[in-house]
Amino acid sequence: MLASPRCGAKTRASGACRSPAVHGRKRCRMHGGAQGSGAPRANQNARKHGLFTRDAIAERRQIRALLGETRKLLGEMK
């Protein structure tokens, strides 16, 4: 029991959880290692606004690049 791997969760007191991890997982039964714990795969309920979808991130990068080019052009015009 003492040689088993420990749970990797952090407690409220910012220390490590001392419970043993569930076999084949990194967390103990209290911190998400239990059977059936956690959200289902492709959980649509966890998606609230789409701010961090691949498309939204790519769009923000394009806008940022365009603004950078515009600033550079305006700086050269002065």
Side-chain angles (χ1 to χ4, degrees), residues 11-75:
T11 62
R12 290 182 185 176
S14 72
C17 175
R18 293 189 227 156
S19 299
V22 174
H23 182 71
R25 300 197 182 211
K26 294 182 180 185
R27 299 287 185 250
C28 68
R29 61 187 180 84
M30 300 296 287
H31 290 116
Q35 185 71 24
S37 64
R41 296 217 182 266
N43 183 11
Q44 292 298 314
N45 297 329
R47 191 171 169 192
K48 293 186 179 190
H49 44 67
L51 186 63
F52 298 104
T53 59
R54 204 173 286 141
D55 295 334
I57 293 170
E59 184 179 2
R60 285 196 299 270
R61 281 188 184 141
Q62 275 185 322
I63 292 170
R64 204 174 307 126
L66 186 61
L67 285 173
E69 290 174 22
T70 306
R71 285 189 187 112
K72 185 192 266 186
L73 185 64
L74 286 173

